[in-house]
Amino acid sequence: VQLQASGGGLVQAGGSLRLSCVASGRTFSRYGMGWFRQAPGKERELVAAISRTGSSTHYADFVKGRFTISRDNAKNTVYLQLNSLKPEDTAVYYCAGGGSSWINVHEWEYSYWGQGTLVTVSS
């Protein structure tokens, strides 16, 4: 399984972006998916996770209603809508797949990782 993330870019504070992650293979709908991020000098952290059907989601506390994770199993794609962006949201965002539990919040729960897409938020 390969994951290809896209949609990052430069945006002003308060702006929005939508990240996409397309998965290869036929098993996409069997697994939980997630988005993580890593800011310069910091450890990678969970942003959001979604169950294999899309019926359940989990968000990090810092999201506070600003981001939305969703998936389209027919398109083998998971999305992360980023709204009300702040400079502290600047990071490389990674999609992760192959989560074996209903909701997977830890890095070690994921088997597949995308290459990352850079989000830069200017003040």
Side-chain angles (χ1 to χ4, degrees):
V1 175
Q2 292 185 332
L3 303 177
Q4 182 70 42
S6 63
L10 174 63
V11 64
Q12 290 187 334
S16 298
L17 286 172
R18 188 175 82 154
L19 308 183
S20 300
C21 176
V22 180
S24 64
R26 301 180 180 180
T27 61
F28 178 78
S29 62
R30 297 182 186 177
Y31 300 109
M33 300 290 293
W35 285 95
F36 289 74
R37 72 182 188 184
Q38 187 168 22
K42 295 186 177 181
E43 294 186 351
R44 190 157 58 182
E45 60 184 350
L46 175 75
V47 177
I50 190 167
S51 62
R52 58 183 177 84
T53 64
S55 60
S56 298
T57 57
H58 172 86
Y59 294 95
D61 289 344
F62 61 77
V63 170
K64 293 181 180 178
R66 300 183 297 128
F67 302 169
T68 303
I69 189 171
S70 62
R71 65 189 295 163
D72 184 338
N73 286 346
K75 295 182 178 180
N76 278 16
T77 303
V78 61
Y79 303 98
L80 185 67
Q81 178 68 41
L82 309 173
N83 295 330
S84 302
L85 283 162
K86 306 175 182 179
E88 52 263 43
D89 294 318
T90 295
V92 177
Y93 284 71
Y94 298 90
C95 62
S100 57
S101 300
W102 185 245
I103 287 287
N104 306 271
V105 300
H106 304 289
E107 289 188 51
W108 53 263
E109 295 183 273
Y110 291 94
S111 302
Y112 311 109
W113 291 85
Q115 83 288 2
T117 184
L118 177 62
V119 173
T120 305
V121 185
S122 63
S123 58

